[in-house]
Amino acid sequence: MRLLVTGREGQVATALKEKGAARGVSVTTLGRPDLDLSGPREAIVEAVLKAADGASAIVSAAAYTAVDRAESEPELARAVNAQGAGALAEAARRLAIPILHLSTDYVYDGSKAGPWMEEDATGPLGVYGRSKLEGEAVIRASGARHVILRTAWVYSPFGQNFVKTMLRLGAERDKLSVVDDQRGSPTSALDIADAVLAIAERLDGGADDASLHGTFHLAGSGETSWAGFARAIFEGAGRRGLTVPEVAPIPTSAYPTPAERPKNSVLSTDRLHARYGLRLPDWRTSLETVLDRLIEGPGPKTDTDTQTEPASRNEGRTTP
Ligand SMILES: NC(=O)c1ccc[n+]([C@@H]2O[C@H](COP(=O)([O-])OP(=O)(O)OC[C@H]3O[C@@H](n4cnc5c(N)ncnc54)[C@H](OP(=O)(O)O)[C@@H]3O)[C@@H](O)[C@H]2O)c1
């Protein structure tokens, strides 16, 4: 099986390269400059058709993911996450292959008390969530066979994410204030990659009935707050010999950001389990795997491209 994955260095794209190689699946990544999702529709379609080379599915893992910056760049966010996604779906339709598209928990407004179900009303609070929701709608309307996977709180050994931010800040400070009144399910990109590969294999294997298409939640099992996530990261880091800071829980109101985030982002993954038999591991288990890879010896391994404002780039958040 061969997959064409958008995004080259993104967390999910990188995890797919790694997991695909381990599974004997050929993964071709397509990213800038060969594919610019903010560019003209026909150029996107052409780039995908050119790179497809017998792919069984397109995995749409590239996105404009800078949640806060999107508030001041709404046109770019919409171009990439809505129009770009639509162009990918058009390419999938022309190639007669399914598109597996990553979406987000930020399509919900966070007001529900329990876990969100796929059929619950959406109500994004910011530009990013609105652009992703529009992308979903464009894909549904495209005529392409599609699997939309709403995931949440993504972290991994790659790119920029909350775990890497915590390890970096934890090495610099004695105390970190972290938001404690937003809840969600941390999700390892490595687990997302395993699930995406299993879904693609199932579709490729001819098991292509309508119940396998549509919208699904794909998130780690269990839930926590950002502060709870931070505490778990530092407990793991402490066990691996790092000196760790104290985590001070704070309310969202104490850490205003350009984009409002949902208070409750917890996603029910029962539909994915019922239709595909897939359930991601408990987030604490997957965190251990990622910490093992990020922490080696006396200090955290850090990428040279670690930036000073990681929380603005991804969906995670802490205090600066
Ligand atoms: N990260 C999260 O916490 C989270 C939560 C929920 C849902 N999601 C969704 O999950 C998916 C994967 O997220 P991720 O964490 O892997 O994202 P990521 O690490 O931020 O990577 C995003 C990728 O998209 C690419 N990209 C951005 N703009 C582009 C453009 N105009 N043309 C082509 N490529 C472009 C980036 O390329 P460059 O390397 O060139 O910048 C990068 O490779 C996304 O759909 C995201 O919306 C993420």
Side-chain angles (χ1 to χ4, degrees):
M1 188 175 70
R2 203 169 108 67
L3 295 181
L4 183 64
V5 179
T6 62
R8 283 215 175 91
E9 309 298 330
Q11 296 191 78
V12 171
T14 305
L16 274 166
K17 275 188 275 186
E18 180 181 307
K19 291 286 189 167
R23 220 164 156 137
V25 174
S26 163
V27 172
T28 302
T29 55
L30 184 61
R32 291 184 280 195
D34 304 313
L35 174 81
D36 182 357
L37 289 169
S38 68
R41 181 182 179 86
E42 208 40 50
I44 296 171
V45 174
E46 285 306 320
V48 173
L49 297 183
K50 192 169 150 209
D53 194 23
S56 309
I58 294 171
V59 181
S60 166
Y64 181 109
T65 55
V67 175
D68 285 319
R69 200 174 350 120
E71 296 298 312
S72 53
E73 292 183 338
E75 278 124 34
L76 181 58
R78 188 165 174 267
V80 175
N81 292 346
Q83 292 152 4
L88 294 178
E90 166 66 14
R93 192 188 62 76
R94 287 204 213 168
L95 290 162
I97 58 175
I99 178 166
L100 279 57
H101 176 74
L102 274 297
S103 189
T104 174
D105 53 325
Y106 283 17
V107 298
Y108 299 114
D109 69 8
S111 63
K112 193 176 174 181
W116 292 90
M117 314 288 286
E118 288 85 347
E119 62 271 25
D120 283 334
T122 51
L125 299 172
V127 167
Y128 167 75
R130 275 198 294 280
S131 70
K132 293 292 289 184
L133 185 61
E134 193 182 337
E136 291 187 3
V138 171
I139 287 170
R140 283 187 201 104
S142 69
R145 282 180 293 152
H146 60 269
V147 178
I148 293 169
L149 298 162
R150 290 180 183 152
T151 189
W153 293 30
V154 180
Y155 68 95
S156 69
F158 324 115
Q160 296 174 60
N161 58 66
F162 186 78
V163 175
K164 291 175 82 173
T165 302
M166 287 296 99
L167 292 176
R168 180 174 57 78
L169 293 178
E172 296 165 0
R173 303 185 195 176
D174 297 332
K175 185 173 173 179
L176 287 178
S177 300
V178 187
V179 169
D180 198 32
D181 57 358
Q182 293 171 30
R183 300 193 68 75
S185 304
T187 308
S188 166
L190 296 166
D191 293 340
I192 293 175
D194 280 333
V196 164
L197 288 163
I199 291 167
E201 277 168 355
R202 188 89 180 272
L203 296 176
D204 192 43
D208 206 15
D209 62 82
S211 73
L212 296 177
H213 301 145
T215 304
F216 299 86
H217 291 162
L218 173 64
S221 297
E223 59 169 277
T224 187
S225 67
W226 290 114
F229 192 13
R231 273 188 228 103
I233 292 163
F234 290 126
E235 280 162 21
R239 284 196 301 276
R240 287 166 178 80
L242 297 193
T243 306
V244 296
E246 177 194 338
V247 173
I250 56 166
T252 300
S253 56
Y255 185 51
T257 50
E260 190 183 347
R261 274 121 169 120
K263 282 278 163 64
N264 173 24
S265 267
V266 180
L267 304 176
S268 163
T269 56
D270 289 348
R271 179 182 287 179
L272 190 74
H273 187 243
R275 303 213 188 146
Y276 278 96
L278 293 171
R279 180 95 73 194
L280 299 195
D282 187 275
W283 67 269
R284 294 173 201 81
T285 308
S286 298
L287 175 62
E288 293 297 318
T289 305
V290 170
L291 288 176
D292 275 341
R293 292 179 56 163
L294 288 172
I295 300 171
E296 187 182 54
K301 286 187 244 172
T302 50
D303 284 355
T304 49
D305 66 350
T306 300
Q307 297 185 0
T308 51
E309 290 181 286
S312 68
R313 159 102 182 180
N314 60 38
E315 295 183 6
R317 59 180 307 178
T318 176
T319 53

